[in-house]
Amino acid sequence: QVQLVESGGDLVQPGGSATLSCVGENAQFEFYDMAWFRQAQGREREMISYISSGGVANYTDAVKGRFTISRDNIRKTLYLLMTNLEPGDTADYYCYGQRSLFGTTFTYWGQGTQVIVSA
């Protein structure tokens, strides 16, 4: 059973930084395309960053230049380095993994970790 386990959520002051981690337990992690989503209170969940199994990364405009997604396939871990945090970044952050195998797409979500940006 594949599980994605996030950590790193915290209360951060505006302008501060934080790093989220997501460990892919029981997964052939290197074959998964991975992403970070976030959901602010009263809003829909949105994808903010994506990294392919080959390491190609993309970002939504709201976080481009401030957030960096990366992966360590040996440690089976996905990271999100968040810098210059703003109150608008306050949300629950979710790790997502996807893999296609024999014509079937398998998707997994982490349980979420909360980031609060406030003075």
Side-chain angles (χ1 to χ4, degrees):
Q1 179 77 13
V2 173
Q3 287 188 306
L4 301 178
V5 181
E6 298 122 331
S7 61
D10 204 352
L11 171 64
V12 185
Q13 290 193 340
S17 300
T19 299
L20 305 182
S21 300
C22 170
V23 178
E25 298 182 352
N26 302 316
Q28 291 181 297
F29 187 80
E30 65 270 26
F31 297 119
Y32 282 77
D33 297 325
M34 302 296 296
W36 287 100
F37 285 72
R38 71 183 180 186
Q39 186 168 19
Q41 191 171 10
R43 301 187 65 176
E44 292 186 356
R45 191 175 297 187
E46 60 171 349
M47 185 169 66
I48 57 170
S49 186
Y50 164 93
I51 186 166
S52 71
S53 58
V56 178
N58 285 291
Y59 303 89
T60 189
D61 286 346
V63 307
K64 194 175 295 182
R66 299 189 298 123
F67 290 11
T68 303
I69 191 170
S70 62
R71 62 190 297 161
D72 184 333
N73 289 336
I74 294 176
R75 291 182 170 82
K76 298 187 177 184
T77 303
L78 176 73
Y79 300 98
L80 184 68
L81 170 61
M82 306 182 292
T83 65
N84 195 19
L85 282 161
E86 305 166 353
D89 296 317
T90 295
D92 292 324
Y93 285 73
Y94 297 88
C95 174
Y96 170 87
Q98 175 179 306
R99 178 186 181 184
S100 293
L101 186 64
F102 304 124
T104 301
T105 298
F106 299 89
T107 62
Y108 300 94
W109 289 94
Q111 81 285 359
T113 187
Q114 188 175 55
V115 175
I116 299 174
V117 183
S118 175

